[in-house]
Amino acid sequence: MERVYERCCGIDVHKLRVVACVRTPGPRRSRSEVRTFGTTTSELLRLSDWLTEKGCTHVAMESTGVYWKPVFNILEGMCEVILVNAQHIKAVPGRKTDVRDCEWIADLLEHGLLKASFIPPEPIRDLRDLTRYRKTLTRERASEVNRIQKLLESANIKLASVATDVVGASGRAMLKALISGDHDEEHLANLAKGTLRAKRGDLVEALSGRFRDHHAFLIRQMLTHVEELERRIKECSARVEECMVPFALERTLLETIPGVGRITAEALIAEMGVDMTRFPSSAHFASWAGLCPGNNESAGKRKSGRIRKGNIWLKTALVEAALAAKKQRDTYLAALGRRIGGRRGAKRATIAVAHSIGVAAWHILAGAQPYHDLGPRHFDNLAGDRLRRHYVRRLRDLGFNVTLEAAA
């Protein structure tokens, strides 16, 4: 096969060491040289000096956990670094060693047989770390709130059956009163605020339980943890806001999509970046996100169309946006969800709406233009004649004579 890169290197990455194979031109065939380095910064600098001495222009390595990141940090800017999905470069089964692995990666790279994974620029990587950490904190807070609800149930306190949010303003006031030793149901119910005051009769019944010092200790610990998580989420959001300054326009444009709010728009920018030239088309982006049907065909028979695995953080953000968009009424995305949900089910409809939001986000960022909604009657307009024939036929089957007249 033709050599695409004359001077390249394949690296097998591990936690404590990396094994590198450099391919350089020879009289008749490429020469290979293998060396082993540690993963400390000083050792990786030695690796960088060696690659510079050999004149390497391209380096390839597997995306092994987070252990590829120190290598990438050192080699970024020195040469073109290609990060490869390990599943795509499995060698033929047999004798497997670190040396053979790095030689195999170098051989594939030399002949241009590797497909690079998407690595966003440093500002986007920093934003990605922040949005993912904020999402993790939000999940931890939700888990802690669920623990509070479970503990209240064990104390015969049915607050969650009356109040939507047990750690809202009213719920926290009642919980803190319970912790301080106030078990008077009437007084606790009077701590309700806003619309919850209309349910004071139900609150009296719900707050009558067997709340002991044991429960007070645990609720105090959990409530303190929730408040600490909320403080950290607020600080993380402030840091995200600072990092979003260069991407304020892109965030505003993404927020024009139904179901996409500020936090979701920030997550989309953090995961997909703002440079859509990385993805040749919207279909390519949807495939990378793992939101398009899979291909599994054999002997002319199409089998499972299950979606592929993709960026789980991006997929989660798009699915959450799809769930919010489906609840709206007068939008194209809501009509799409109803159209597919009626014949394929709610889950498939959610994925289809998430796919449509992802495609719209690609076009918005690629063209720097706001979202254009096609309207809730888009599908009816596409097949107006067919719908008229369908409903006329149904009415005639029911025994009616039908005459259609256009409205003014």
Side-chain angles (χ1 to χ4, degrees), residues 81-98:
V81 182
I82 299 176
L83 186 67
V84 188
N85 188 335
Q87 189 177 6
H88 297 168
I89 59 172
K90 286 186 177 180
V92 178
R95 293 172 292 177
K96 182 181 183 303
T97 64
D98 296 342

Side-chain angles (χ1 to χ4, degrees), residues 387-397 402 404:
L387 285 173
R388 283 192 294 271
R389 290 195 302 269
H390 169 74
Y391 288 118
V392 167
R393 184 173 64 253
R394 291 290 295 131
L395 287 171
R396 286 175 177 169
D397 291 344
V402 180
L404 297 180

Side-chain angles (χ1 to χ4, degrees), residues 46-113:
R46 286 183 53 232
L47 168 64
S48 176
D49 294 339
W50 181 54
L51 296 179
T52 302
E53 177 186 341
K54 294 295 181 179
C56 283
T57 58
H58 292 75
V59 173
M61 58 183 172
E62 294 178 344
S63 55
T64 308
V66 296
Y67 302 129
W68 63 270
K69 292 185 177 181
V71 183
F72 181 81
N73 291 336
I74 298 298
L75 300 183
E76 184 183 19
M78 186 208 76
C79 58
E80 183 174 346
V81 182
I82 299 176
L83 186 67
V84 188
N85 188 335
Q87 189 177 6
H88 297 168
I89 59 172
K90 286 186 177 180
V92 178
R95 293 172 292 177
K96 182 181 183 303
T97 64
D98 296 342
V99 173
R100 287 180 177 269
D101 285 345
C102 69
E103 289 176 340
W104 174 249
I105 296 173
D107 191 25
L108 293 176
L109 175 61
E110 182 182 23
H111 296 96
L113 298 176

Side-chain angles (χ1 to χ4, degrees), residues 165-181:
D165 186 4
V166 297
V167 293
S170 302
R172 292 195 193 201
M174 297 173 192
L175 290 177
K176 290 180 179 179
L178 282 170
I179 291 172
S180 63

Side-chain angles (χ1 to χ4, degrees), residues 155-172:
N156 288 36
I157 302 295
K158 307 291 289 185
L159 180 60
S161 300
V162 182
T164 304
D165 186 4
V166 297
V167 293
S170 302
R172 292 195 193 201

